[in-house]
């Protein structure tokens, strides 16, 4: 039993907690249920789960606020959002708040299981060790979690920081959307989503906030490339 990953399942719907929880137990997970956002935060502190399944719509504290509080405290537990909201803006909002994956209801338990295993296998996108990355006038220090352009500090979200780190590790190399998804978000690329494009847009705006020239170029039909 000690080798069974602990999943914190957060949903205010008791029927979903029972059904999903029972299925995941059969798939080799240990499931700890929580009925709301406040209970989820208490459970994270108490049990330190390996991964979390988090509903967005909850009456006491919604899932986005749970994510924001966890990430603000430096807790990097992998989180897969469960939501009935299927618009691109909703997916982006969830990922920007700190989610690692986003699954739309209704879903198949096989998909949830596969995504949980993918999150447990995921590798951090940011470079390891104390390596400072520099391309042109852009500098990123992973140890200090700091990035700057031309001496100007860049206030980056977690995903923007990881995305910039990936580009800086591969200057001049065209990175397709599939690779961005797998290395930054840790889940399989969905060709119907434009999440990567949206986050590249966010990153560009911060890199170019004072009129600096564009360094992340779009390669039409392929992906993006950093040219310093």
């Amino acid at each position: 039993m000690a080798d069974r990953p602990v999943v914190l399942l957060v949903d205010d719907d008791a029927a979903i907690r029972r059904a999903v929880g029972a299925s995941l137990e059969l798939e080799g997970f240990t499931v700890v249920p929580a009925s709301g956002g406040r209970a989820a935060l208490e459970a994270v502190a108490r049990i330190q789960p390996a991964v979390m399944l988090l509903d967005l719509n909850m009456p006491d504290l919604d899932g986005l606020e749970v994510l924001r509080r966890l990430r603000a405290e430096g807790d990097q537990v992998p989180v897969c959002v469960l939501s009935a909201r299927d618009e691109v803006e909703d997916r982006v909002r969830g990922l920007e708040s700190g989610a690692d994956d986003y699954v739309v209801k209704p879903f198949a338990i096989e998909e949830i299981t596969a995504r949980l295993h993918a999150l447990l296998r995921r590798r951090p996108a940011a470079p390891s060790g104390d390596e400072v990355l520099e391309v042109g006038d852009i500098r990123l220090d992973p140890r200090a979690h700091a990035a700057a352009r031309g001496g100007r500090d860049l206030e980056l979200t977690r995903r923007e920081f990881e995305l910039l780190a990936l580009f800086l590790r591969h200057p001049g190399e065209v990175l397709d959307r599939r690779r961005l998804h797998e290395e930054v978000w840790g889940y399989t690329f969905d060709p119907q989503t434009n999440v990567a494009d949206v986050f590249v847009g966010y990153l560009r705006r911060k890199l170019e906030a004072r009129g600096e020239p564009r360094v992340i170029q779009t390669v039409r039909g392929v992906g993006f490339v950093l040219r310093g």
Side-chain angles (χ1 to χ4, degrees):
M1 294 291 290
D3 294 330
R4 292 168 66 97
V6 176
V7 179
L8 178 59
L9 172 58
V10 187
D11 200 301
D12 65 335
D13 188 324
I16 289 178
R17 293 199 304 273
R18 286 194 299 269
V20 175
S23 297
L24 290 177
E25 290 277 355
L26 291 174
E27 294 291 339
F29 295 95
T30 294
V31 178
V32 176
S35 59
R38 298 190 189 282
L41 292 174
E42 293 171 2
V44 169
R46 186 177 72 253
I47 67 173
Q48 297 183 329
V51 66
M52 183 191 301
L53 285 171
L54 178 66
D55 186 34
L56 289 188
N57 293 321
M58 292 181 291
D60 65 335
L61 194 67
D62 70 42
L64 292 181
E65 183 59 25
V66 171
L67 278 167
R68 293 187 190 105
R69 293 191 187 188
L70 286 173
R71 301 319 187 206
E73 294 169 1
D75 194 309
Q76 297 303 317
V77 59
V79 176
C80 178
V81 161
L82 304 176
S83 177
R85 307 173 190 171
D86 193 23
E87 297 298 322
V88 170
E89 293 80 4
D90 295 317
R91 292 173 181 261
V92 168
R93 192 175 300 114
L95 294 168
E96 194 174 35
S97 296
D100 299 275
D101 202 349
Y102 192 107
V103 176
V104 177
K105 298 177 180 179
F107 49 78
I109 196 63
E110 293 83 2
E111 179 184 9
I112 294 295
T113 300
R115 288 177 183 262
L116 289 179
H117 283 302
L119 288 177
L120 292 170
R121 291 193 305 268
R122 74 171 198 199
R123 296 170 299 172
S128 60
D130 299 334
E131 176 190 7
V132 174
L133 299 173
E134 291 188 76
V135 174
D137 61 350
I138 301 172
R139 185 177 190 274
L140 183 145
D141 183 347
R143 184 175 60 178
H145 198 83
R149 182 171 192 186
R152 172 175 63 87
D153 289 338
L154 301 171
E155 298 295 331
L156 303 181
T157 66
R158 174 188 171 203
R159 295 303 182 193
E160 291 164 355
F161 188 90
E162 293 177 351
L163 191 59
L164 180 59
L166 181 59
F167 281 119
L168 291 173
R169 290 204 310 274
H170 303 280
E173 180 180 344
V174 178
L175 305 178
D176 63 25
R177 291 169 177 82
R178 180 182 302 277
R179 184 167 178 186
L180 296 182
H181 274 254
E182 292 178 353
E183 295 205 30
V184 175
W185 285 276
Y187 62 86
T188 304
F189 175 62
D190 177 358
Q192 301 303 314
T193 183
N194 66 345
V195 165
D197 299 70
V198 171
F199 274 82
V200 167
Y202 291 159
L203 182 56
R204 278 173 170 163
R205 283 199 288 273
K206 292 182 178 181
L207 288 169
E208 303 164 12
R210 294 188 179 174
E212 295 95 336
R214 175 156 296 181
V215 289
I216 300 178
Q217 306 290 336
T218 300
V219 179
R220 191 173 299 277
V222 183
F224 305 94
V225 58
L226 175 72
R227 296 192 173 104

